[in-house]
Amino acid sequence: MAPRTNGLDPSRWSEQAVLARMRGTQDRIADAITTFAGTMQFVYLHAAWFTVWITVNEGLFGHSAVWDPYPFGLLTMIVSLEAIFLSTFVMVSQNRQAVREKVRADLDFETNVRSEVWSARIGHALGVDPKQVEKDVQTLLAHNQAAMNGRAQSADEPTG
């Protein structure tokens, strides 16, 4: 017998599941390009490519091999286009990161609301006074805030 969920779909709460449903082929391609562009292999590949390009076009293998003589106009154009595309892929990835952060924040908020509702119901069923619990929470929060600000507060000091 499957566990009862009262209509709640726990898989919906998974950040990975939500993001997977939102991620298309174009997003995967952009992520792959951005991931590769951020590696040392990318730097080494470009260093080798530029070295070969410049070496060949300086005439070290004969003048018949030169296709882009100094000041390397074609190389400059290719590098400029690559920079434009790479910066676009980085912006796409940053936008996707912002979406991921929003999804994460929304799921965190939903989880917090669920926890609070469950806590309130359990507390009510156990006969716990919600006003006393809230007072204890406020005291604890004030103590933690004071500790984070560097002025630890003793447990018997008033919290204001």
Side-chain angles (χ1 to χ4, degrees):
M1 180 171 173
R4 252 179 73 199
T5 61
N6 295 330
L8 299 175
D9 180 10
S11 67
R12 183 177 138 253
W13 307 337
S14 166
E15 176 183 343
Q16 289 80 16
V18 172
L19 293 173
R21 286 193 298 266
M22 296 171 57
R23 190 170 187 221
T25 303
Q26 293 177 3
D27 295 325
R28 283 190 286 279
I29 291 169
D31 285 345
I33 290 170
T34 304
T35 299
F36 176 65
T39 64
M40 287 306 294
Q41 288 84 2
F42 182 82
V43 174
Y44 299 144
L45 177 69
H46 279 75
W49 176 43
F50 294 151
T51 301
V52 169
W53 188 291
I54 292 169
T55 302
V56 169
N57 286 292
E58 280 292 314
L60 273 87
F61 296 101
H63 288 294
S64 62
V66 174
W67 72 87
D68 185 26
Y70 181 83
F72 314 116
L74 182 60
L75 177 63
T76 303
M77 182 186 71
I78 291 170
V79 170
S80 296
L81 287 172
E82 182 183 39
I84 291 168
F85 281 109
L86 285 177
S87 65
T88 302
F89 286 122
V90 168
M91 287 188 287
V92 167
S93 290
Q94 286 176 335
N95 288 341
R96 287 183 30 73
Q97 181 62 31
V99 168
R100 284 192 290 268
E101 289 172 8
K102 184 180 180 332
V103 166
R104 186 175 296 128
D106 289 347
L107 291 173
D108 284 348
F109 177 76
E110 287 180 18
T111 300
N112 291 341
V113 169
R114 272 191 191 86
S115 295
E116 189 161 342
V117 169
W118 275 98
S119 296
R121 288 190 178 207
I122 291 169
H124 179 74
L126 294 174
V128 175
D129 178 18
K131 290 180 183 175
Q132 182 59 44
V133 171
E134 185 60 28
K135 182 180 173 191
D136 294 344
V137 167
Q138 292 299 325
T139 301
L140 182 61
L141 289 174
H143 179 72
N144 286 343
Q145 186 65 38
M148 286 191 314
N149 291 335
R151 50 180 204 280
Q153 195 171 16
S154 70
D156 51 16
E157 279 185 47
T159 59

